[in-house]
Every structure is written in C-alpha cells, then in structure tokens.
Amino acid sequence: MKMGEWPENVGIVALELIFPSHYVEQAELEAYDKVSAGKYTVGLGQARMGFCTDREDINSLCLTVVTKLMERNKISYSEIGRLEVGTETILDKSKSVKTVLMQLFEESGNTDIEGVDTINACYGGTAALFNSVSWVESSAWDGRYALVVAGDIAVYAKGNARPTGGAGAIAMLIGANAPLVLDRGVRATHMKHAYDFYKPDLMSEYPTVDGKLSIQCYLSALDHCYQLFCSKSQKLLLDSREDERFELRHLDAVLFHVPYCKLVQKSLARLMLNDFVRSTEAEQAEKYPGLETFKHVKLEDTYFDRDVEKTFMTQSKGIFEEKTQPSLLLANQVGNMYTPSLYGGLVSLLISRGAQELAGKRVALFSYGSGLASSMFSLQVCCDASPGSPLQQLVANLSHIKSQLALRQKIPPEEFASIMEMREHNHHKAPYIPQASPDVLFPGTWYLESVDSLHRRFYKRLPMSS
C-alpha cells in the first residue's frame, strides 16, 4: 500500500491462542465441593477448567502468545507498527503489559510501536481490536501490521463462582486484505454504569460479584446491541431489500462472550426472542406457531422468566447447535478466559468448521465487559479457501489447538485448591520466588522466574522442545 491509500478488507490476518497446561475436571470439583452432581457440568455447561500456578501471570501469558504467533506465522518484529493489550488482570497501576512485551522487539530494533493497555473487565480485548482496526484504516497507518493481545487469569474465592474461572491469552494480527474482514458501519455498542462485577481491592485477584445483576446486565446489553446491530445491518447488508427484516437467519454463526456455556445457550435463545418481539402478530403466527401466549411480552420483564427462557431455548435449539455450539469448545474445556473469551469462540469455530465450510460466511460477535461495556459486530469470511490462501493458512496455523488440549495435565481438586490458596497468599508479594515447577508447562512457554524487592518481575522461556 502507498501512504494515503485507503486499505481494503481490514481485519484479522492471523490468530494464536494459548491456555494453561493444567486443568481440573468440573465433575470432580462438584464432588470435592460437595454440591449436587451436574451443578457445574450441566447447570453451567462446563467440563474442564484451566488454571495457572504461581509460575504464570498476565505478563508471561502475553509474552508466550505473542512469541508463538510471530514464530508460527513467520512474522518479523519489525513488521509491527501498533501493539495494544486488553486485560483486566492488573499487576501494576502504572506500567502496562504492552511495555513488558517490548522486550521481544529489542533484537529487531523496532521501538516505533503505538498502543498501550486497554482496561474494562472482559471488554478490553474488543476495544483493543477496534482501536487497531481504526489505526490501520487511518492516516496514521504506515503499512505495517497491528497486533492485538488479550489475556487474563480468571480466579474466584471459594464458593459458587470459582467453577466459572479459567485462563488464557490470544494474539490477533490485524491488517489489510485479511481473510476475516470486519464489516464496516454495523457495529453496535451499549455502555452503562453498573456494579455487577468489579475489582475494588487492588491487593486481591478476586472480584466482587453481584451474580443476579450481572446476568441481567449481560442480557440487557445483548438486547440493546442486537437491536441496533440489526437496524444498521438492515441498511448496509441487505442492500435494497427494504421489505426484508434483518434477523438471526441472516447470520451464519453467532458468537458470544462466555462467562459459562449455559448462559450462551440462553443468549442465543434471547436473540430469537428479540426477533419474535420485533415481528408483527401476523409474522409471529407464521414463523413462531404455538407461541401466541407470548405475543405481548416485554423484553425488560423476561430476564428471569423461566417460562420464556425455556420456551425459546427449546424453539432455538437447532439454530444454537448450528450457529453457536461449535464456538464453545474452548470455553467448555478451559473456562472463562475473560478478554480472550469471545475470540476463543472464534478460534473454536474456525477449527470446528474448517476453511472450506466457512468461506463466504458472516459471523456475528457479541462482546461484554462488566461495569458495563458491550458491542455487537460482524465479520465476513473471505471466499477463497483454496490451498495456500490466507484463509487456509490462518486455519491451518490453528490446527494444533485440539491436540494441545489433549496434552494438558489433569490436577485433582485437592491440589487445585492448594494452588489457589498459594496464589491468594502470595499475590503481589515481593520479593518472591515462585514455588511451582516450570517443567510442567508447555514447551516454549514464558514463565515468572522471580520478583525482586522493588516488585520488578523477571521472566524466562522454556525451550520449544521438551
């Protein structure tokens, strides 16, 4: 591209995702916690939960995912012009994770890299993505890639919320002529002040959570974003078909931020409920036979209405299995990764469907961060899935994800609880030498070596071969 030219088809060029090498079985955790069988596995829809020892922190996760993306895609560090990190896992109130990542660029001599950290619960990664896309489309763009990094360690105190934890990081390479192109002009955002989930105690990793309010905020934000997204998409994606209403059937896949998998199934049903409410009585009778008793329902009255929830979950089951369930592999196996959660869904979709099947499809994504910030946007998968095409390369470079899941080490609940207690007692301690062995981490993982008396953190990397 020449300076001053508007880049075309800006979006995601490459993806890399990492998760912890340890996990705990949710069924075993149910027995250990002495709760009813199925509370975590059926009630939450979770099978396994990844977690980190004291050898990994947000800096090490981000160092690992950036290094692996650059190596796997053979990208030079000099090719990056913007680097922005989305996270809510805070180690320092001043120094950004992005500046820690700059040590990876030292050998290349590249210090001309814009961007710092973006913070708001699970929404930071999406804000970083939007900012990076805007940079590529702006007069500031110098022809290089932008790099978006999102990572978090989600841990909770003992109790009902602990099984909804997880950990991971994702890196997204942003540029022109991308295989995953963000649709322009249809992005819908809803932001509001709420204390549904927040972290006021800076000496603790644990959040303060109002569980019921958090669900209400999530579903309300989904309603607002979806309605506005449909309104904008009606004008821009349906062209001149003014007699046709944009709705769920126009989307090939729908991805959500995943606090836990069961909420996502309810959320997909919620989109059908929105389509139902937006329909005329005649359309309701034609498209939704048997649901006449709900024709006067108001969305704001249904957040905890079990009859509405159950009915529309049943009605939308086939759509959920087709358009959303393939995106839940990582959420089910790793848990809530916070800022990478939505994009873990994108990775899950790509490795579940493959390049040929996804070529030309439109994917909607709903991002939510407590406090609250939310957006719905969409991307178009390019049509060329031929061997050697950018789309085929992107998907091929994610082919290791499923086998990596199988290589993890299962930890018994008793040991998991002990590790969580160790993290709790040593959080922000200085000086500190981590107690866990780094030898059980995946090859090529960066890990915390030590923290000195001035809270300076030092890292090393395991060799790529065991």
Side-chain angles (χ1 to χ4, degrees):
M1 297 294 297
K2 296 179 181 179
M3 291 294 290
E5 288 186 350
W6 188 278
E8 295 184 352
N9 299 323
V10 176
I12 301 171
V13 177
L15 290 160
E16 181 71 33
L17 183 135
I18 64 162
F19 40 78
S21 59
H22 300 82
Y23 73 89
V24 61
E25 288 278 3
Q26 293 280 13
E28 294 180 3
L29 200 56
E30 289 171 345
Y32 177 77
D33 290 344
K34 296 181 172 59
V35 300
S36 57
K39 183 171 183 179
Y40 306 156
T41 52
V42 179
L44 297 177
Q46 302 299 122
R48 295 172 174 175
M49 178 172 59
F51 65 94
C52 297
T53 69
D54 61 349
R55 280 293 178 183
E56 292 184 279
D57 60 18
I58 184 58
N59 291 339
S60 70
L61 290 179
C62 292
L63 285 165
T64 300
V65 78
V66 169
T67 303
K68 291 196 171 184
L69 178 131
M70 302 297 279
E71 292 174 348
R72 199 181 307 277
N73 292 276
K74 298 179 174 59
I75 303 294
S76 167
Y77 283 95
S78 62
E79 294 181 70
I80 305 300
R82 182 181 180 88
L83 169 57
E84 187 165 345
V85 177
T87 185
E88 63 172 272
T89 306
I90 308 302
L91 291 173
D92 192 287
K93 293 182 288 184
S94 176
K95 182 175 173 59
S96 66
V97 177
K98 185 270 180 75
T99 60
V100 175
L101 294 176
M102 287 306 300
Q103 64 189 285
L104 299 175
F105 293 80
E106 289 178 4
E107 187 176 346
S108 71
N110 181 17
T111 61
D112 179 20
I113 304 175
E114 295 187 7
V116 282
D117 290 3
T118 300
I119 300 168
N120 187 84
C122 303
Y123 187 82
T126 294
L129 172 62
F130 291 170
N131 291 343
S132 296
V133 169
S134 295
W135 177 77
V136 174
E137 293 182 340
S138 76
S139 61
W141 185 56
D142 60 5
R144 293 183 293 171
Y145 292 114
L147 183 57
V148 175
V149 182
D152 276 303
I153 298 173
V155 289
Y156 294 85
K158 291 179 181 178
N160 292 335
R162 175 160 281 185
T164 62
I170 194 164
M172 297 180 276
L173 195 68
I174 308 302
N177 302 311
L180 305 178
V181 181
L182 268 70
D183 286 325
R184 296 173 62 182
V186 299
R187 185 190 306 169
T189 291
H190 175 70
M191 298 204 178
K192 185 179 180 180
H193 171 56
Y195 279 118
D196 56 328
F197 169 111
Y198 51 108
K199 295 180 177 177
D201 184 355
L202 299 179
M203 294 303 295
S204 171
E205 289 190 284
Y206 301 144
T208 298
V209 185
D210 184 332
K212 186 174 182 180
L213 178 60
S214 184
I215 294 173
Q216 180 177 326
C217 287
Y218 183 102
L219 296 177
S220 174
L222 178 61
D223 289 343
H224 281 88
C225 286
Y226 181 63
Q227 291 166 21
L228 183 55
F229 173 79
C230 287
S231 177
K232 292 183 177 182
S233 298
Q234 176 87 27
K235 299 175 183 177
L236 295 175
L237 301 182
L238 291 185
D239 301 322
S240 60
R241 290 171 282 173
E242 297 179 0
D243 59 334
E244 188 174 357
R245 182 185 295 106
F246 190 93
E247 51 192 15
L248 196 52
R249 62 191 171 90
H250 292 104
L251 298 167
D252 299 298
V254 188
L255 281 51
F256 300 83
H257 167 59
V258 193
Y260 53 91
C261 292
K262 198 71 171 185
L263 181 60
V264 169
Q265 187 174 359
K266 295 177 182 179
S267 297
L268 192 279
R270 187 93 191 164
L271 299 190
M272 176 177 280
L273 174 62
N274 270 266
D275 285 350
F276 175 82
V277 169
R278 292 164 60 226
S279 302
T280 65
E281 287 195 21
E283 290 171 333
Q284 289 176 353
E286 179 186 352
K287 297 179 182 178
Y288 310 95
L291 302 185
E292 292 82 4
T293 56
F294 301 106
K295 64 182 179 181
H296 298 303
V297 74
K298 295 180 179 179
L299 290 173
E300 60 271 21
D301 297 332
T302 62
Y303 300 129
F304 304 103
D305 188 318
R306 294 293 180 88
D307 290 337
V308 171
E309 180 182 282
K310 184 177 180 180
T311 298
F312 281 87
M313 283 180 70
T314 300
Q315 192 79 10
S316 63
K317 186 174 184 292
I319 299 174
F320 168 75
E321 291 173 348
E322 175 194 353
K323 299 186 178 187
T324 301
Q325 194 167 48
S327 69
L328 295 179
L329 170 65
L330 284 159
N332 174 265
Q333 291 292 308
V334 180
N336 185 2
M337 295 182 281
Y338 284 171
T339 51
S341 171
L342 174 63
Y343 305 98
L346 178 58
V347 169
S348 297
L349 177 68
L350 291 168
I351 62 177
S352 297
R353 288 287 188 254
Q356 292 286 346
E357 189 174 347
L358 283 170
K361 304 298 186 183
R362 174 162 283 111
V363 181
L365 302 94
F366 173 67
S367 180
Y368 178 83
S370 295
L372 61 82
S374 60
S375 292
M376 179 169 277
F377 60 105
S378 60
L379 58 83
Q380 183 84 29
V381 183
C382 73
C383 294
D384 183 6
S386 60
S389 66
L391 177 60
Q392 191 276 330
Q393 291 176 14
L394 181 150
V395 175
N397 282 341
L398 295 171
S399 61
H400 64 284
I401 295 292
K402 288 184 178 180
S403 59
Q404 194 88 347
L405 285 170
L407 291 173
R408 294 180 298 167
Q409 179 181 354
K410 186 176 79 167
I411 301 298
E414 296 83 3
E415 188 177 343
F416 164 70
S418 177
I419 291 171
M420 291 298 99
E421 186 175 351
M422 177 177 64
R423 289 187 64 94
E424 181 178 337
H425 289 164
N426 297 313
H427 176 67
H428 218 62
K429 187 176 180 180
Y432 181 65
I433 303 295
Q435 300 174 32
S437 171
D439 296 338
V440 296
L441 302 174
F442 289 130
T445 297
W446 286 84
Y447 64 91
L448 178 65
E449 182 184 26
S450 64
V451 184
D452 71 11
S453 60
L454 296 178
H455 288 269
R456 295 177 296 190
R457 307 173 82 88
F458 300 92
Y459 300 89
K460 279 189 174 182
R461 191 188 184 198
L462 289 173
M464 279 302 295
S465 58
S466 303

